[in-house]
Amino acid sequence: MPKLITKIKEYRAKTNMKQEELAQLIGVRRETIGHLENGKYNPSLKMAMDIAKVFMVPVEELFQFID
């Protein structure tokens, strides 16, 4: 099964954004962002698109599947 790799942490660092801030912007708990960043949770399509919108990048820039 392919593994989902995210660049959320990298983009948060570029913008000095805390997990809590991103969580509030997309309407989830801070723990959800932590799980996403650590590969313990796969986002819904809507959540992935909401996060990409926050950073103004395509979804494919933030999320990639690897074998």
Side-chain angles (χ1 to χ4, degrees), residues 1-62:
M1 184 170 185
K3 180 175 171 68
L4 182 66
I5 302 297
T6 76
K7 293 184 180 177
I8 298 170
K9 193 172 189 175
E10 180 182 319
Y11 274 85
R12 276 195 316 98
K14 286 181 185 178
T15 59
N16 293 321
M17 183 181 292
K18 295 182 180 184
Q19 286 182 343
E20 181 67 35
E21 293 172 288
L22 178 56
Q24 287 177 351
L25 287 171
I26 65 165
V28 300
R29 296 180 13 212
R30 183 205 54 80
E31 291 84 2
T32 302
I33 301 302
H35 290 313
L36 283 167
E37 291 180 352
N38 293 317
K40 295 180 181 175
Y41 181 76
N42 287 343
S44 66
L45 179 57
K46 181 185 182 324
M47 186 185 301
M49 292 178 78
D50 289 345
I51 294 170
K53 193 178 208 178
V54 167
F55 295 114
M56 295 182 284
V57 297
V59 173
E60 300 86 356
E61 179 64 28
L62 286 176

